[in-house]
Amino acid sequence: MTTRRPLRSLTTLFVFIALSGAASAQCTNGAQYPSSLITPSPTGLLTPIEGCNWQSEYSAITGVAAGVSYEFTYEGGAWVTVRQGAVNGAVLGFGPSPLTVVALSAANLYVHWNVDSLCATAQLCHATTVQRLGVGCILPQALVATLDDCQDGQFTLEVDVLSTGDASSIGLSWTVNGGTPNTLSGLQIGTYVLGPFANDGLVDLTVVHAENTACSLSFLDLTNGPCAIQGCGPETYTYCYPNSANYTQSYQGTSVWPLQLVFNSGEVSASGNDALTIHDGLLPTDPVLFSGVGNAGDLTGVTVLSTNPDHALTVRFTSNTSFSCVDGGVTPPWNYTVACLDCEPATVTTGAVTTDCDAQSFTVQVEVTDMGTSTSAAISNNAGLPPTEVTGVGTYVAGPFQVGATVNLGFVDTTSLACSIFIGEFTNTFCPIDVTCGEPAIAQSYCYEDSDSQEWLYQNTGPESLAILFSSGSIESSMYDHITIYDGANDTAPVLYDHVLNTTIQLAGLLVTSTGPSLYMTMSSDNSISCASNQLALWNWTVGCLDCEQPEASYAVELDCDNNQFFITTEITFLGSDSATITNDGGAPQFVVTGPGTYDVGPFALGTDVQVNVEVPNALCQVGSAVLTSAPCPLVGCGPFEFTYCYTNNLDTTIVYQSSSTYPIALLFNSGTIDTFGDIIE
């Protein structure tokens, strides 16, 4: 069970007994939790349902008695729908927690937990309970409303007794913040006002059955609703929400104009676990104007406009126990502006995004077709450039902005900021890399990062096909990182190469040839293991016209143990061109060959990792060996020889002993130990 928290977001609480209502408020969830059936205590004791129910689940209740009332509570507040007979059966009642319904039969009850009357869901974790009411009696019925007195910092409770049940009279008993009980007795049907109480006080109220206190009604944690912030603004507010947030704030305009709320920036969790709802009025039960997470968690541009006679808006927000603004999991904080809309917004659309690849910049075309009531305006940006002045209806160009930048544009009505408009988020179109046959192939490299996403487009200035050849590089399993090469100018073209192996692979030697004049390559990576984190090899590749033939070569390691070195014998059976250069990355000299033959490359120190390449004038046709190294040179003799060795951490070595005669060789350990956890000798 979780600890009960004050329910501070509701200005009106009901014992809600209803068989009809707005269809949108009747929710049906698909996931049952807990999986077992819950039986309420027949003696009226509070019965736990689950210590951690999400606001996207339903719970099943059995052992139900016809004609008996049951109260369902979601700790911290939720929207509750109770159905009978099936998970999607007849609705007995719906409304904010706590909710009381009367069972029409002995069939099971299905209680659905949601965020609000729009049936929004969230992965919040709070305790739920059920309680059988009125054991052996008929319950009183009552409505309780909180009446705020924001001017004096206090509130009162209005108790409307609808029925005394089978009691001769009822009483009212209440405590404030757990203090001494106050009582009224001998009451009949009617309306009674209790208080005033100081704002934020918690009142527990019981409607007492005169003859059987077990048949009393309880209302817990009654408190004032949030007082609306009044004015016409414009006023800008910021909020960095914590884990387990329960935020409610109302705003009320002081003019005859509607009230507008615009998010300038801000994020919520894109998973939908943290639910933002904006109501058209002063109460959380008023109609919903917005509910959701914006654009994949980005609230920028979310705009609502009041339609109610109070010119009021109420913002409600709940978050789960992790991944919030305060803990750094969601950024940036909210930034929103509230103002009376004493104007008419302009009509603005966007045209082409034009990229100047030579200048590495781009511009955005903005069409203003109606100025509304504005006489002075500008197109703003978040890229640090001066705003573009708007003098009337017409076409304007915002920018230039740097290629690769993501830019937010807005129409700022300097006559009345309330009529400012968020235009949208923009980035440049793609710049291709031109390739010309007959010129040297283009050499490129890339060291990809965690959570990376890149693309390359190569276009021939003529009609010939293009080829891409990797000389080095590695990429993690396709479960995490990906590379795809397309036979065309975008990702709708046929796929020439796609990394689909569930293992880290070496890209060296990968040759891909297009059928037309374009090659398009994309890559993406997850949030761990990359070249930038020094766990994978740098990519090197060349792109050009494949107007050559590749040499054919094989490689073998030759030991020179007398001199503690080795050579790599390179046998070229086909040269592919007039000449080739044999290079290596082990520090040995390179040399030019003009025909097939066998060539010794080296020498290299024993144990050195070496790659040998046969390079021809067109880099696309070069071929190379795998990374080669020497085997250890054996110690030759018949001995006996005695050795001592103290091995180090992170060691990986091989020692070879070879008999100098026809007799077998034996190895005997005289002493020594080895760690049995991870160290191996064989």
Side-chain angles (χ1 to χ4, degrees):
M1 291 290 291
T2 56
T3 303
R4 176 176 289 279
R5 296 185 177 88
L7 181 61
R8 298 180 178 272
S9 62
L10 301 181
T11 57
T12 305
L13 298 174
F14 299 97
V15 174
F16 193 86
I17 303 174
L19 298 179
S20 63
S24 64
Q26 301 176 12
C27 305
T28 305
N29 296 328
Q32 179 179 342
Y33 197 77
S35 58
S36 58
L37 298 175
I38 303 300
T39 304
S41 169
T43 63
L45 293 177
L46 190 68
T47 303
I49 297 176
E50 172 55 42
C52 178
N53 261 125
W54 286 352
Q55 291 179 341
S56 58
E57 299 170 335
Y58 72 88
S59 305
I61 310 299
T62 193
V64 177
V68 173
S69 299
Y70 294 88
E71 182 180 73
F72 295 93
T73 302
Y74 187 96
E75 194 169 282
W79 188 264
V80 185
T81 304
V82 180
R83 298 175 179 270
Q84 188 161 32
V87 67
N88 59 349
V91 175
L92 297 185
F94 53 89
S97 168
L99 174 73
T100 300
V101 298
V102 177
L104 298 182
S105 69
N108 289 347
L109 301 180
Y110 298 86
V111 53
H112 300 261
W113 316 106
N114 289 87
V115 176
D116 52 36
S117 60
L118 287 186
C119 302
T121 61
Q123 291 181 358
L124 295 172
C125 181
H126 288 295
T128 52
T129 60
V130 60
Q131 185 174 21
R132 175 173 171 165
L133 304 176
V135 178
C137 60
I138 300 175
L139 286 173
Q141 295 183 26
L143 301 178
V144 181
T146 58
L147 305 177
D148 294 335
D149 180 0
C150 293
Q151 182 175 352
D152 296 323
Q154 60 188 22
F155 69 99
T156 56
L157 296 178
E158 184 178 86
V159 184
D160 188 6
V161 179
L162 305 176
S163 168
T164 62
D166 62 358
S168 60
S169 66
I170 59 96
L172 298 178
S173 176
W174 68 94
T175 63
V176 182
N177 296 326
T180 303
N182 303 274
T183 60
L184 293 173
S185 59
L187 305 179
Q188 298 296 321
I189 293 173
T191 300
Y192 304 91
V193 177
L194 307 180
F197 310 105
N199 277 352
D200 296 329
L202 293 178
V203 181
D204 290 342
L205 170 66
T206 302
V207 180
V208 182
H209 190 290
E211 284 75 37
N212 187 347
T213 56
C215 294
S216 302
L217 293 177
S218 295
F219 299 82
L220 303 178
D221 296 341
L222 301 171
T223 189
N224 59 289
C227 292
I229 297 175
Q230 296 182 328
C232 265
E235 294 289 345
T236 297
Y237 303 90
T238 59
Y239 180 56
C240 183
Y241 71 86
N243 299 323
S244 303
N246 192 358
Y247 175 77
T248 302
Q249 182 59 61
S250 296
Y251 303 92
Q252 186 171 21
T254 54
S255 76
V256 297
W257 299 94
L259 194 67
Q260 184 185 62
L261 186 151
V262 179
F263 269 88
N264 309 308
S265 60
E267 295 270 340
V268 294
S269 173
S271 65
N273 297 341
D274 300 344
L276 171 65
T277 306
I278 305 176
H279 297 267
D280 189 15
L282 290 165
L283 301 177
T285 53
D286 284 331
V288 174
L289 294 173
F290 172 83
S291 181
V293 297
N295 181 16
D298 184 3
L299 297 176
T300 303
V302 169
T303 302
V304 294
L305 188 66
S306 70
T307 65
N308 61 86
D310 294 323
H311 308 305
L313 297 169
T314 296
V315 178
R316 285 186 63 211
F317 179 75
T318 57
S319 65
N320 66 4
T321 56
S322 64
F323 208 67
S324 67
C325 173
V326 169
D327 67 18
V330 176
T331 57
W334 297 1
N335 181 289
Y336 60 93
T337 300
V338 180
C340 295
L341 193 67
D342 54 352
C343 55
E344 294 197 11
T347 302
V348 181
T349 58
T350 55
V353 176
T354 303
T355 301
D356 183 346
C357 293
D358 293 335
Q360 288 293 287
S361 65
F362 72 98
T363 56
V364 181
Q365 181 177 293
V366 179
E367 303 281 351
V368 180
T369 55
D370 187 343
M371 290 288 288
T373 55
S374 175
T375 59
S376 175
I379 299 171
S380 65
N381 65 81
N382 66 341
L385 294 183
T388 304
E389 183 180 0
V390 176
T391 57
V393 172
T395 301
Y396 298 87
V397 176
F401 308 110
Q402 182 178 356
V403 162
T406 299
V407 179
N408 290 328
L409 297 182
F411 181 90
V412 180
D413 186 342
T414 52
T415 307
S416 178
L417 292 177
C419 277
S420 296
I421 301 169
F422 175 71
I423 298 175
E425 184 178 88
F426 303 90
T427 190
N428 62 284
T429 54
F430 196 67
C431 287
I433 299 172
D434 289 334
V435 179
T436 301
C437 291
E439 295 184 357
I442 296 173
Q444 295 203 277
S445 64
Y446 189 68
C447 182
Y448 77 83
E449 303 175 349
D450 297 341
S451 303
D452 202 349
S453 178
Q454 296 293 330
E455 55 187 332
W456 296 266
L457 173 59
Y458 302 96
Q459 289 188 331
N460 194 346
T461 56
E464 299 92 347
S465 298
L466 296 178
I468 181 170
L469 174 66
F470 278 85
S471 58
S472 68
S474 57
I475 184 170
E476 197 186 6
S477 161
S478 62
M479 292 180 63
Y480 313 109
D481 300 347
H482 213 80
I483 180 174
T484 307
I485 304 175
Y486 299 88
D487 190 13
N490 53 51
D491 59 6
T492 64
V495 173
L496 293 172
Y497 174 79
D498 195 17
H499 171 38
V500 296
L501 296 180
N502 187 19
T503 184
T504 297
I505 64 168
Q506 301 299 317
L507 295 174
L510 173 63
L511 176 65
V512 177
T513 304
S514 70
T515 60
S518 298
L519 272 174
Y520 179 65
M521 180 170 70
T522 65
M523 67 79 52
S524 61
S525 64
D526 69 351
N527 59 2
S528 65
I529 304 182
S530 64
C531 169
S533 61
N534 297 317
Q535 295 166 294
L536 294 169
L538 173 73
W539 294 4
N540 285 288
W541 71 92
T542 52
V543 181
C545 297
L546 194 62
D547 51 2
C548 57
E549 293 184 88
Q550 286 186 298
E552 296 175 0
S554 60
Y555 312 89
V557 173
E558 296 291 339
L559 293 175
D560 179 6
C561 292
D562 291 340
N563 297 298
N564 292 317
Q565 61 187 20
F566 72 98
F567 293 84
I568 297 177
T569 300
T570 302
E571 183 177 0
I572 299 176
T573 55
F574 176 70
L575 196 58
S577 63
D578 294 336
S579 64
T581 302
I582 301 179
T583 65
N584 66 89
D585 60 1
Q590 66 181 33
F591 49 91
V592 176
V593 298
T594 57
T598 301
Y599 305 91
D600 288 333
V601 183
F604 309 104
L606 292 176
T608 303
D609 290 336
V610 180
Q611 182 178 25
V612 173
N613 292 314
V614 180
E615 299 181 1
V616 292
N618 188 333
L620 286 170
C621 282
Q622 76 174 30
V623 295
S625 71
V627 176
L628 303 172
T629 190
S630 62
C633 286
L635 176 63
V636 181
C638 279
F641 303 108
E642 184 173 328
F643 302 93
T644 61
Y645 189 68
C646 182
Y647 73 89
T648 61
N649 294 328
N650 300 312
L651 181 70
D652 184 2
T653 190
T654 302
I655 304 173
V656 180
Y657 303 98
Q658 183 178 348
S659 172
S660 58
S661 71
T662 59
Y663 296 104
I665 192 167
L667 186 150
L668 173 67
F669 277 92
N670 303 310
S671 62
T673 59
I674 186 171
D675 186 3
T676 58
F677 295 97
D679 296 350
I680 299 173
I681 184 171
E682 55 186 11

